[in-house]
Amino acid sequence: QDAKAGRAKASAQCAVCHGANGLSQHPEAPNLAGQVEMYLMKSLEDFRAGRRVNEMMTVVSKDLTDADIANLAAWYAAIRITAEPPP
Amino acid sequence: QDAKAGRAKASAQCAVCHGANGLSQHPEAPNLAGQVEMYLMKSLEDFRAGRRVNEMMTVVSKDLTDADIANLAAWYAAIRITAEPPP
């Protein structure tokens, strides 16, 4: 897969809700930064196949190719994240 | 909601796959650290109601109360994350 192609695709179609760095810009949209690659792929495949339904994602995922899905997953998974639980 | 109660519940039932700090310990389990609170609540409600199906989550979510869901969402959302896209 090609994270750079995924980055380009994401900036065109996903960043408006999921943010340019994968941190959500929309109260219902999840952060995708550093998300588990297999989970991202499964989510996109499920939305595209209708196994999972969401008003926005059902539409957005409809025309994604397998390559798009692999590239998008690779891109978001490549964003480095750190996590610090509150004290 | 009560993030501390959520932290206790999470360490008992969720951390095995989602990690003590919300970073996934399982190749199919998503990171939950710093995830959007409303998204976390919707996901848990959907799993519990069967609107969304996953082998593990369908079982784990079955007996969650509304308070559990609110507390778990508050806990994971409270974990501070940073995101740094690759150059």
Side-chain angles (χ1 to χ4, degrees):
Chain A
Q1 71 282 40
D2 176 350
K4 282 218 169 31
R7 182 174 202 162
K9 182 80 178 172
S11 64
Q13 277 189 283
C14 315
V16 56
C17 291
H18 293 292
N21 59 356
L23 294 180
S24 170
Q25 304 293 308
H26 183 290
E28 290 177 25
N31 297 319
L32 300 181
Q35 189 52 281
V36 170
E37 195 161 350
M38 266 172 69
Y39 176 76
L40 288 167
M41 289 189 65
K42 182 171 187 328
S43 297
L44 286 172
E45 285 159 0
D46 285 353
F47 281 126
R48 184 177 61 179
R51 286 187 296 269
R52 185 174 164 187
V53 178
N54 171 278
E55 211 183 333
M56 179 68 93
M57 286 306 294
T58 297
V59 172
V60 163
S61 61
K62 204 161 48 62
D63 302 327
L64 291 177
T65 64
D66 289 345
D68 288 332
I69 287 180
N71 296 343
L72 285 166
W75 156 245
Y76 281 111
I79 298 172
R80 275 182 302 281
I81 56 168
T82 62
E84 204 197 306
Chain B
Q1 73 281 38
D2 177 348
K4 281 218 169 30
R7 182 173 202 164
K9 183 81 177 171
S11 63
Q13 275 189 282
C14 316
V16 57
C17 291
H18 293 291
N21 59 358
L23 294 181
S24 172
Q25 304 294 309
H26 184 290
E28 292 177 22
N31 297 319
L32 299 181
Q35 187 53 278
V36 169
E37 197 161 351
M38 267 172 68
Y39 176 76
L40 288 167
M41 289 188 66
K42 181 168 186 337
S43 298
L44 285 172
E45 285 158 0
D46 285 353
F47 281 126
R48 184 177 63 180
R51 286 188 297 269
R52 185 173 163 188
V53 177
N54 171 280
E55 210 183 331
M56 181 67 94
M57 286 306 294
T58 297
V59 172
V60 164
S61 61
K62 203 160 52 65
D63 302 327
L64 290 177
T65 64
D66 289 345
D68 288 333
I69 286 180
N71 296 343
L72 285 167
W75 156 244
Y76 281 112
I79 299 172
R80 274 183 301 282
I81 56 169
T82 63
E84 204 197 306

